[in-house]
Every structure is written in structure tokens, then in C-alpha cells.
Amino acid sequence: MLSTAQAAPADGEPPGLAVATVHAATPEAQHRLAATGLDVIHADAEHAEVLLHTPQDRLTLALGDWEFELESVEDDLDRMEAARAHESRLEARLAEDPSVASTLPTGRVSYREIDDAEAEMRALAAEFPEQVRLFELPHPSLLGRTVLGLEVAGDVATSAGEPTYLLSGVHHAREWPTLELVLEFVTEAVHGYGTDERFTAIMDSSRMLVVPVVNPDGYMISRERINEMKRKNCRVLPGATPTWEECAAAQNANAGVDPNRNYGPFWGGPGSSVSGSASNHHGAAPYSEPEIENMRELMNSHQVTVAINAHTPDERLLRAPSSPLEPEPVDADAYQALAEELGDALGGWPAGPWTEVYYVASGTAEEHGLYVNGTFGFTPELMPGFDGLDRFHPPYEYVDDQYWGTGRYEGSSAREAFLLAWEKAADPALHGVVTGTAPRGIELTISKDVEVESSPTAVADGGTIATAHELRSTLRVPDDGTFTWHVNPSVRQSQESSTLLEETWTISCTNPAGRVHHEVEVVVGRGETVDVDMTACPGGPKLGRG
């Protein structure tokens, strides 16, 4: 075992990155290592690799009674530099020589800058206004950047109660391929509408919400290679808005909140850390970070039945539970069956709860989806198989392979997994359906107020932090006066036991003054259909003559 002195940088050595191979051969040892908050970038049956960002990280490891060896990252950095230079040369040639294009839907050959991605999103919305709507999420990032999303459907302007699928990328800044795979998928879907049978069918029967970059500040710091291994957002001090200079400063290289530990259910529990320098720091409170408040409000204002939150690089397909404090979900059989289908699309990858096929984590996107909305959420850990620092964003050529399931990733297609999840989002056996009659053209609202609790380990006295959620979405009644509304179950998974909370949706309409005129309560379970009569609502707009 190395001593504290050996773990610390030598005199004159820059306090930069290093990788420690730690002997942690049991699940208990690996959980204990994760609990240190150090940046564990790989774990298998014999050892774990830990990325050390600062001298304090080295000291934490040295004082932890671990056996480990330190490795230089100079070769990794040189290799990554060469890969980016090669991709830049290909990008420069592409305009003159189409033969260098990849087989991706856009033909790209290099990782996008965030400005590139946003320009493409705007261009898709401008070129395909009937199928694509560009929207801004409610809260700018910590550094003030607007976070963009896309809504995609066969007729995107008409919301008639279709089921909704959510696809997101870049919760973690250094996981560049997630932006690429998500945006390539959206591009193919939109261009395929009307010509590709599967994309046309699913866009005519549902809609997709896409947030390619959940964490834009962190992505910019990583992608611009100011701190290429940045994982978290740009929070430096709790409650304080950072500047770009503070986020980019070398001494703050490992500062920030892990966006995928900042969701509310079980926030602050095992697999997250109170330390601001820990790789899994959960933040000052549930949803304290604007990037995650955005995702909360997006999900709470839509009936998201299935969600994919893309990550790299560990060859897993994850679902809730992610914390050992969670109960077995009542709908575990259906949830696991879908996980296994998605795992098969990815080449037979291990698929199941975080706690069984990965490590433990609290405050994750999957927990929010299940306990707040009733959403079946999944994390695919894409682009596996690389060593060293470039494991999070390997050479770009392999994005092509992972998208199609060819070459290095033969039989493991992110495209197929994304598309299958979208098709399953439209399957009424996996959510609820409300049918009914109402005056044509009026707007109906479905709503429910719910409350979720943090982990009890997050509060000194053993209590919890409650977070209230307002779930509200709307539907425009078609001209024939009948509607079919695909919704998440009103009955909700308990955080305490393998039971469902017997809750109701309220469906309502308003009068011209905006006051509720008529409302009904609806109980609907997963796979159930119920019928309601909303004909007592005020009449809608008159039909034009002819």
C-alpha cells in the first residue's frame, strides 16, 4: 500500500490528474470506496479505478487504508490530443471531400461544440416546422445559458393526448457521446418521417421531448478542454451563482453538483455525498440546481411514460431502484421486462436495478420519474470498452459504431434502443389511458399534487426533506368531441413499501374567466383505461360555415 507521502505529488509536480488502481474486490469494498466521494471511473470484480483531480483527492485515498497504485495520465492526454486533432482535420476536409463523412445521419466526423448542437436544433425546427418545435427550458444554467429542447411529432402543433417519450443527454459533462447519439437520433427521426415506416408510425401516434445537453456549462468546460474530465455542473459555493472564470479556475476543477444526484426522491442518500468536491455531490437541497429544476418541470408538465437518460461508458442498462433504501416497485415485472428488451437491443447488456447491476446512487433521474410521475426511466451506459481517460468520450469513429450497432459495437445499437423505448412509450399496457367526451376544441387539464421525500440519511435528526410537485398537462379536444388521453398512472409507487398510493388525477375545464367550471376525479392504474364525461364543460369555439 502506498503511503500518504507517496500518494501526494512530488515537489514541483503539478497537482493535475492521476489514476489510482484500487484493490476493492468485494461489493462492500466498492461501496465503501464510492462513499468517499472520489471519482470512481471503473469497477470490476477485482479492482476499481479512481480518477484523482486534486492533491486532496490523493490524500483522501491515502488516508483510507486502501491498497492502490498510481498511474500517470500523460499518455492518455497525448492520445486524446491526437484524436481531437485527427477529428478536426477530418472535419476540415468534409466540406470538400464527402467521402470522409461517417455513416451517421448527419455524416459528422467530430464531437460537436455546444454552439454547433444548438444551431442544428434551430435548423431542424426551421426546416421541419410541422414536425419539430424548438423550446427553451424555464431556467437558464448557472452561467446564464439558455437550455434548449426539441419536441417532435407528426403534427407537433396539435396536442391531442398522445403518450410522450423523453430522451436526454449530457447530465455528466464529460460524457460527450450522449449529445452525439441523441442529436443524430432526432435528425434521423425527423428526416425519416413519411419515408421510414417505424419513425412515421411512432411520430403519428406519440411525441418525443429531447434535451440533448442537460448540463451545458459543464459540457462547455469539458468540451473546450479547460477541464476535460469535468463531470458536474459549475456550482462552486452553495447558493452562490458562479462566474465563468470561477468555474474554469484550476482550483475549482472538482467543484460542482452532480446533476444525477440532485433529483428529489431519496436525495442525499447512499451513493451521494455532502462534500462539494466529491464526484457525486448532491447539492444543497433537492432540485437546488437550475439544470435539474428544468428537467423536473419538463416532466411534471408532460405525461412522460418512458424516459431514456443517456450516459457513458459502463455497458449497463439501469432502472430504479438506484438506492438500497428503496422498496421493490409494484410494477417491477413490467419495468424489468422492458429493461431487458432494451438491454437486448444493446447487445445483451446487463439490465436491471442500479443496485443489482451497477452501484448505489440516490437522487437519480430514474427515482424522480418513478416516484413523482410513474415514468419508467432508464440509463443506458453507452460506448464501453475503453481504458484510461478517453473512456468517457472515445475517438469519434466509435460513435458511428454505437449508433448503428456495427464494428466495435456489433449488435449493440443505441439507435435501436432509443427507438424501441419510444415505441414502448406509446404502448398503453405500460401506462394509463383516459377516454371521454367533451365540447370540441376546448382545453382540458389533468392535474395532481404529490410530495416526495429525501433520504432520511440526509437530515441530522433522521427526518426527511419533502418536495412538493404540481403535475399539470393539457389536451385540446378534437373536433369530433371525443378524446383519448395517454397518462401515467394516478396510483403512485410508495417510497416506503412495495405498495401503490391510491391517488387520483383531476380532469378539469375552465369558463371564459379562467375559473374551474367542471372537474372529475379519475383513478387509473398502469395498463388500465377509464372513461369520463366532460360534456358539462362550456362549449368550445363555433365551427366555421362550410
Side-chain angles (χ1 to χ4, degrees):
M1 183 175 71
L2 296 186
S3 68
T4 301
Q6 288 173 302
D11 290 343
E13 180 184 347
L17 298 172
V19 171
T21 300
V22 182
H23 298 273
T26 66
E28 293 75 18
Q30 291 179 2
H31 291 163
R32 186 167 67 89
L33 182 62
T36 65
L38 294 170
D39 194 352
V40 180
I41 59 176
H42 175 74
D44 58 33
E46 296 182 358
H47 71 281
E49 293 180 37
V50 177
L51 183 58
L52 305 175
H53 295 260
T54 64
Q56 181 59 46
D57 285 350
R58 300 185 186 211
L59 188 60
T60 297
L61 187 62
L63 294 175
D65 195 29
W66 299 99
E67 292 185 16
F68 63 92
E69 294 83 36
L70 284 181
E71 303 172 27
S72 170
V73 297
E74 290 185 7
D75 290 346
D76 290 354
L77 295 173
D78 289 344
R79 185 174 64 250
M80 293 161 69
E81 179 72 31
R84 301 295 85 78
H86 173 67
E87 291 155 10
S88 294
R89 290 192 295 270
L90 285 179
E91 192 68 38
R93 286 176 53 195
L94 186 57
E96 304 295 331
D97 182 5
S99 69
V100 305
S102 71
T103 66
L104 290 166
T106 66
R108 280 198 70 91
V109 293
S110 65
Y111 286 105
R112 292 164 169 87
E113 302 278 355
I114 195 165
D115 288 343
D116 299 333
E118 292 179 350
E120 289 181 45
M121 294 168 70
R122 295 181 189 280
L124 280 174
E127 185 178 356
F128 301 96
E130 293 184 358
Q131 285 77 48
V132 183
R133 181 180 71 88
L134 182 79
F135 62 89
E136 297 180 357
L137 279 89
H139 305 281
S141 69
L142 281 171
L143 297 183
R145 191 174 189 96
T146 299
V147 185
L148 297 182
L150 294 175
E151 185 172 7
V152 176
D155 179 6
V156 75
T158 303
S159 178
E162 308 97 326
T164 300
Y165 169 53
L166 173 63
L167 179 61
S168 71
V170 194
H171 270 77
H172 291 147
R174 62 196 178 194
E175 296 172 9
W176 305 353
T178 62
L179 163 59
E180 304 300 319
L181 296 165
V182 166
L183 200 48
E184 293 294 332
F185 181 75
V186 177
T187 300
E188 186 188 2
V190 173
H191 282 270
Y193 182 70
T195 58
D196 181 281
E197 183 176 339
R198 287 180 74 186
F199 279 120
T200 303
I202 196 59
M203 287 173 65
D204 280 341
S205 61
S206 65
R207 58 189 55 230
M208 174 171 62
L209 298 173
V210 186
V211 183
V213 185
V214 172
N215 176 13
D217 299 343
Y219 181 73
M220 291 172 67
I221 293 290
S222 177
R223 180 64 187 89
E224 294 178 16
R225 308 183 70 200
I226 296 166
N227 173 10
E228 192 165 353
M229 287 298 105
K230 187 170 185 64
R231 168 183 166 94
K232 300 181 287 181
N233 75 352
C234 273
R235 185 75 73 183
V236 176
L237 296 173
T241 302
T243 64
W244 172 265
E245 291 75 18
E246 288 172 330
C247 187
Q251 66 267 28
N252 294 327
N254 209 27
V257 173
D258 181 344
N260 206 33
R261 302 295 184 274
N262 192 236
Y263 291 91
F266 296 98
W267 175 89
S272 68
S273 175
V274 69
S275 170
S277 62
S279 66
N280 57 359
H281 176 46
H282 51 55
Y287 309 103
S288 61
E289 306 311 295
E291 298 88 351
I292 298 309
E293 180 65 14
N294 277 335
M295 299 304 290
R296 169 170 96 140
E297 293 186 22
L298 183 64
M299 291 192 71
N300 291 358
S301 60
H302 294 82
Q303 296 292 330
V304 174
T305 58
V306 171
I308 294 287
N309 310 292
H311 287 254
T312 66
D314 288 323
E315 197 171 349
R316 302 284 193 276
L317 190 286
L318 310 174
R319 67 163 175 90
S322 63
S323 165
L325 303 181
E326 295 176 62
E328 176 75 353
V330 172
D331 296 319
D333 288 346
Y335 198 3
Q336 179 62 22
L338 179 50
E340 291 175 5
E341 286 191 65
L342 298 174
D344 287 345
L346 291 166
W349 288 2
W354 286 62
T355 50
E356 294 180 15
V357 302
Y358 205 38
Y359 51 61
V360 302
S362 299
T364 63
E366 283 73 43
E367 289 174 314
H368 173 93
L370 182 62
Y371 295 101
V372 176
N373 306 96
T375 303
F376 280 170
F378 302 93
T379 286
E381 288 277 345
L382 302 160
M383 302 285 290
F386 288 86
D387 296 322
L389 298 187
D390 58 357
R391 70 179 73 229
F392 298 103
H393 45 264
Y396 194 82
E397 62 192 280
Y398 299 110
V399 174
D400 199 335
D401 289 350
Q402 179 73 95
Y403 186 79
W404 297 110
T406 57
R408 184 185 184 101
Y409 297 116
E410 184 69 38
S412 175
S413 169
R415 173 193 185 271
E416 179 60 25
F418 293 170
L419 183 51
L420 176 62
W422 191 358
E423 290 169 335
K424 291 297 183 179
D427 182 355
L430 298 180
H431 54 265
V433 178
V434 178
T435 60
T437 54
R440 58 165 297 278
I442 70 166
E443 184 177 84
L444 299 177
T445 297
I446 191 167
S447 61
K448 183 171 66 158
D449 293 339
V450 306
E451 191 171 88
V452 293
E453 304 290 336
S454 72
S455 167
T457 62
V459 181
D461 63 3
T464 59
I465 300 171
T467 308
H469 296 261
E470 296 182 356
L471 279 56
R472 301 281 188 279
S473 53
T474 60
L475 170 147
R476 184 72 60 183
V477 178
D479 285 344
D480 66 1
T482 65
F483 61 89
T484 300
W485 206 340
H486 293 259
V487 300
N488 283 305
S490 66
V491 291
R492 186 166 56 93
Q493 174 62 49
S494 168
Q495 289 184 251
E496 298 178 356
S497 63
S498 297
T499 57
L500 294 174
L501 303 175
E502 294 295 328
E503 296 176 343
T504 64
W505 285 115
T506 298
I507 300 179
S508 62
C509 56
T510 58
N511 62 22
R515 298 188 182 91
V516 173
H517 177 87
H518 179 65
E519 64 182 23
V520 297
E521 292 190 348
V522 176
V523 177
V524 60
R526 200 176 303 276
E528 294 181 354
T529 298
V530 299
D531 192 71
V532 298
D533 183 356
M534 300 298 292
T535 55
C537 291
K542 295 181 179 179
L543 287 170
R545 291 184 177 180

